[in-house]
Amino acid sequence: MADGLRAGQVVLVGMMGSGKTTVGGKLARRLDLEAVDTDTELVAGSGLEIDEWFTERGEAAFRAAEHEVLARVLDHPRTRVVATGGGVVVDAANRALLVEARHTVVWLRASPAFLASRIERKSARRNRPLLGDDPRGALEELDARRRDLYGEVADVVIDIETVMAGEDKPRKTLSRVVADTLERLAMPVQR
Ligand code: S3P
């Protein structure tokens, strides 16, 4: 199929704890699209949990598998809402795929302090082996290394702290704001 005829994806990027998976699900419902999550796909396809990938096979193997999943998901014939793992932008080949004009990449941006406050619960740290014993410190370090990379691939940047502040249903509000922003920018969301 010629490139111009392939459906583009709505892709959420951002650090761990920015709510990509939850917001992706809500956004998909709003846009009447299917939702897909690269971490979930990776686990389903391999039978290995994310933390098992890191402990049993190592981060490099995880990143290689993540790249395969991303490439497949971005090439899906229908437009879907794609939630990615926070580290997806580290690989230059992934960034090259994400900047293809047909895709709409939304960066859910937040400070490491805000993200740390959202992933304090131990359950939220499951499947996030990179956080270790000092989630705040790890998030600061990852943010310093990744911030420019998210900026490189993003078509739209949403400051989630501002959007969520004082909201009763912050994730619902966030998904509405993302949907409204895409509509305002007339981003091509085709079914
Ligand atoms: C990672 C983020 C995680 C998961 C893995 C590595 C990262 O996804 O892919 O633990 O490098 O930031 P979430 O961003 O969905 O937590």
Side-chain angles (χ1 to χ4, degrees), residues 3-169:
D3 218 30
L5 296 176
R6 282 204 221 126
Q9 306 298 322
V10 176
V11 188
L12 302 181
V13 300
M15 293 274 284
M16 290 177 264
S18 57
K20 299 177 296 283
T21 303
T22 316
V23 172
K26 292 185 189 301
L27 180 65
R29 277 197 292 283
R30 272 181 191 277
L31 299 175
D32 198 18
L33 297 172
E34 244 176 87
V36 58
D37 178 285
T38 57
D39 278 347
T40 308
E41 292 282 304
L42 206 161
V43 170
S46 64
L48 275 189
E49 295 296 330
I50 302 290
D51 50 356
E52 291 171 339
W53 268 99
F54 278 76
T55 53
E56 291 174 22
R57 304 212 178 157
E59 181 169 355
F62 171 77
R63 296 296 172 204
E66 185 178 47
H67 172 73
E68 297 292 309
V69 170
L70 182 76
R72 180 164 44 78
V73 160
L74 290 183
D75 223 17
H76 194 273
R78 284 193 315 280
T79 296
R80 302 187 294 182
V81 176
V82 179
T84 58
V88 82
V89 291
V90 171
D91 180 357
N94 289 348
R95 297 201 297 282
L97 292 177
L98 290 167
V99 296
E100 282 179 25
R102 64 194 164 116
H103 305 306
T104 303
V105 179
V106 181
W107 176 15
L108 302 182
R109 182 168 69 185
S111 70
F114 181 75
L115 297 170
S117 71
R118 288 164 51 84
I119 49 186
E120 255 160 13
R121 280 174 300 113
K122 201 150 180 232
S123 62
R125 280 188 259 144
R126 243 191 45 231
N127 284 329
R128 288 166 172 163
L130 293 177
L131 292 178
D133 302 331
D134 173 20
R136 169 100 184 243
L139 287 165
E140 271 166 8
E141 203 213 307
L142 292 171
D143 178 73
R145 281 197 269 135
R146 293 177 178 174
R147 188 156 271 258
D148 289 350
L149 305 179
Y150 293 127
E152 229 176 77
V153 299
D155 297 298
V156 179
V157 183
I158 307 278
D159 270 308
I160 68 170
E161 282 178 78
T162 317
V163 172
M164 291 173 136
E167 291 293 328
D168 278 350
K169 295 190 171 162

